[in-house]
Amino acid sequence: MQASRLAELISRQRSGWSLEQPFYVSEDIYKFERSGWLAGQWYILAHSSELRQPGYYLVRELLGESLLLVRDEQGNARGFYNVCRHRGSRICSQDGHRKVFVCPYHGWTYRLDGSLRSAAALPIAIDQTTLGLHSIPVREFGGVIWGSLKGEVHALDAVQEAFEPGLRYYGIPSARIAARRRYSIEGNWKLVLENFFECYHCFPAHPEYCSVMKWVDWTAREPADGGVGWKEIVHKWFAEEADPDSPLKETGHALPEDILFGTSRMPIGNGRKTQSQDGNPVAPLMGQQRRFDGGVCGFFVRPFASVSALNDHGMMFQITPTGVGDTEVVLTWLVDGATSDAEIDVPRMIWLWDVTTSQDKALIERNAAGVRSRSYVPGPYSTVERVTAQFVKRYLMEQSALSEAMYSETMQVP
Ligand code: FES
Ligand SMILES: [Fe+2]
C-alpha cells in the first residue's frame, strides 16, 4: 500500500467510530503493520518454567517469524530468529533440550548464546564472530518471558518495576503450567482486541462471566449511579477482606483507558474465593498468600499481553496476530510449582475463561464476516466501549506517524 493511500484512510477515519474496512481486511495494511507497529509491540512468549534450565529451548511463532527461545549457560532467557546464518535454513523444528544448536543442513553449530561455534571449511578470511544468530529483544521478570521483534528493551524497565513485586507475591515466578488452550480466531487482530477491551457485549454474550464477576454490573453498562456502588464494594473489600500484605494497593475498580501498562486489583465479588463456577478453590494458595481473600489482580501490557493472579491460580493471556484475517489467543493456567496434580481441579479451573473465550471466538468470527461485507461502514462506539475507542485512537495515531515516516522515505531522492 502506498503511504499516501494509508494517510488518506487515516485522515478519513471518524474519531470514536470503528475502523474503515481496509484496516480489517487489507493484506497490504497487514504487511505494513507487521513490519512496523506490530513488530514494535511486546508479547508474552512463555512462562519461565518452560525454560527450566540452561539448554532448554522452545520454538515459537511471532508475526510469521519462527523464533528460538533458549535459556543460556548463565541462566538468561534469550530469543533468536530460527534462521541459520549460513544459507538460512530453519535450525530447530520443535521444543527440546541441548547443549548446542546444530543446523541440520550443513552442520553449523551455535552456542546457547547464539554465537557461531563451528562451521566446517569456511574460508579463513571469514570472521566467524559476525555470524551469530540474529537475536530479538527478550526480557524475563516475574515468571514471564516477554518478547518483541523490534521493541526497545528498556521500554520494559518501568513495567518490571511495577509488576515484579506483585507477580512474586502471587507466586507467578515459581508456578507451573496446569493447562493451556489455544483459540485460533478467524478475524483480524484488531477485531480481537476491540472485543477484549470492552464488556458492552458481556450481558448478551457471557452469562457465565456475568454470574461470576460482580464488577460486570457496573462495567457492562453505563451505571445509573456513576459507578459509586462498585466503588463502595471495592472500598469495603479492601477495608475488611483484602489481604493487606499484597504489594498491589490500588483499588483498580476501573482501568484507565489511555494507559499502556498497569496493574489492577479488585474482589471477584459475590462471596467467591476464585473464578470457579461455585466460587470454591480449585487449587492450593499460591506464592506468599496465607489465606483466600477472593481478589483478582491484573498485570497488563497493552494491547497484547496480560497476566492475572488469583488466590489459587494465575493466568497468562497471549494474543498474537497470525495473518490479516487470523489471530491466535493462548490461555495458560498456572498453579503453585509445588502443587501435585491430585491437588488441582483443571476442568473447574479453566471453566470460566474457556467458555468465555470460546464465546468471544464465535462473536469475533461473526464480526469479521460482517466487516467483509460490501455494506459494512464504521459504526459509533458506545460510552461503555471507551477502552476499545482509546485503543483504536492510539493505533491510528501511531500508524499515522509511521506512514508519514514511510512517505518521507519514499520521497527521498537518492
Ligand atoms: S543452512 Fe545451516 S548449515 Fe547450511
Ligand atoms: Fe468477551
Side-chain angles (χ1 to χ4, degrees):
M1 159 153 315
Q2 287 177 336
S4 55
R5 165 102 173 96
L6 185 59
E8 182 209 315
L9 261 180
I10 293 170
S11 67
R12 181 164 103 196
Q13 186 67 46
R14 288 171 83 171
S15 173
W17 288 59
S18 64
L19 291 162
E20 297 272 350
Q21 187 184 50
F23 287 109
Y24 299 120
V25 303
S26 160
E27 286 281 356
D28 285 346
I29 290 184
Y30 181 67
K31 270 189 215 154
F32 178 68
E33 292 170 340
R34 198 177 60 175
S35 61
W37 196 81
L38 290 174
Q41 304 302 308
W42 285 87
Y43 302 82
I44 291 177
L45 298 181
H47 183 255
S48 296
S49 65
E50 294 178 83
L51 294 178
R52 262 189 290 151
Q53 284 164 7
Y56 275 80
Y57 68 93
L58 308 170
V59 179
R60 293 288 180 270
E61 190 97 356
L62 181 62
L63 303 174
E65 297 287 353
S66 176
L67 303 175
L68 275 177
L69 296 178
V70 58
R71 195 169 297 288
D72 71 14
E73 301 285 5
Q74 280 69 46
N76 300 313
R78 289 172 175 266
F80 304 103
Y81 286 89
N82 184 14
V83 176
C84 180
R85 291 298 308 280
H86 177 218
R87 280 166 45 202
S89 170
R90 286 263 182 281
I91 300 168
C92 301
S93 51
Q94 58 189 32
D95 302 354
H97 176 248
R98 45 176 81 165
K99 289 196 166 63
V100 292
F101 294 113
V102 182
C103 178
Y105 201 170
H106 312 93
W108 283 28
T109 63
Y110 299 89
R111 298 180 188 89
L112 300 179
D113 65 4
S115 60
L116 182 63
R117 180 168 169 266
S118 65
L122 261 194
I124 204 117
I126 303 288
D127 179 1
Q128 297 199 9
T129 63
T130 64
L131 292 172
L133 298 175
H134 288 301
S135 64
I136 59 157
V138 163
R139 286 282 290 265
E140 180 179 27
F141 57 82
V144 180
I145 299 173
W146 312 81
S148 172
L149 293 186
K150 278 191 186 168
E152 161 55 44
V153 177
H154 292 296
L156 286 197
D157 289 349
V159 180
Q160 178 167 0
E161 198 179 321
F163 286 14
E164 212 166 23
L167 289 169
R168 200 177 312 120
Y169 186 80
Y170 287 98
I172 304 299
S174 53
R176 71 177 176 93
I177 294 177
R180 177 169 278 166
R181 295 287 184 277
R182 291 175 192 280
Y183 308 84
S184 295
I185 301 180
E186 283 179 36
N188 181 266
W189 60 273
K190 294 184 288 298
L191 294 175
V192 176
L193 292 178
E194 286 181 64
N195 169 279
F196 196 70
F197 288 149
E198 51 91 357
C199 209
Y200 194 37
H201 66 280
C202 286
F203 280 125
H206 296 316
E208 296 82 0
Y209 187 80
C210 293
S211 73
V212 170
M213 297 300 290
K214 187 72 179 164
W215 86 322
V216 173
D217 295 347
W218 282 267
T219 51
R221 56 168 78 102
E222 203 57 78
D225 68 355
V228 173
W230 173 242
K231 280 182 192 155
E232 280 170 3
I233 288 176
V234 173
H235 190 75
K236 190 166 181 297
W237 179 75
F238 266 90
E240 295 173 8
E241 289 173 67
D243 173 359
D245 297 330
S246 168
L248 269 59
K249 303 296 183 200
E250 68 264 50
T251 55
H253 48 75
L255 307 178
E257 50 258 38
D258 58 348
I259 62 174
L260 301 180
F261 72 90
T263 60
S264 64
R265 183 172 176 224
M266 63 181 175
I268 298 166
N270 299 319
R272 290 170 183 276
K273 293 188 169 75
T274 193
Q275 289 179 328
S276 60
Q277 199 160 3
D278 62 5
N280 288 322
V282 293
L285 282 171
M286 286 186 76
Q288 296 160 39
Q289 301 177 91
R290 280 170 298 190
R291 64 174 172 84
F292 280 82
D293 71 359
V296 55
C297 301
F299 303 81
F300 54 94
V301 176
R302 282 186 181 143
F304 293 109
S306 63
V307 177
S308 69
L310 294 97
N311 297 149
D312 57 354
H313 67 281
M315 283 185 72
M316 300 195 307
F317 293 77
Q318 297 167 259
I319 301 174
T320 319
T322 48
V324 62
D326 296 284
T327 307
E328 185 169 70
V329 174
V330 179
L331 303 186
T332 304
W333 287 263
L334 304 164
V335 293
D336 191 275
T339 301
S340 71
D341 285 349
E343 294 173 282
I344 64 175
D345 188 335
V346 171
R348 286 177 57 237
M349 185 184 309
I350 71 170
W351 164 77
L352 179 66
W353 280 104
D354 183 47
V355 74
T356 302
T357 309
S358 300
Q359 289 159 346
D360 280 330
K361 171 178 157 67
L363 292 173
I364 294 160
E365 290 180 347
R366 291 167 74 97
N367 190 179
V371 159
R372 286 192 292 269
S373 164
R374 61 190 295 183
S375 78
Y376 169 78
V377 287
Y381 293 120
S382 70
T383 54
V384 181
E385 295 164 286
R386 287 188 203 91
V387 180
T388 295
Q390 180 63 36
F391 154 68
V392 166
K393 188 174 159 193
R394 174 191 163 208
Y395 164 82
L396 286 168
M397 269 168 40
E398 297 183 8
Q399 293 307 308
S400 176
L402 288 168
S403 77
E404 270 169 32
M406 183 169 85
Y407 188 61
S408 52
E409 258 172 44
T410 56
M411 294 301 285
Q412 272 168 14
V413 181

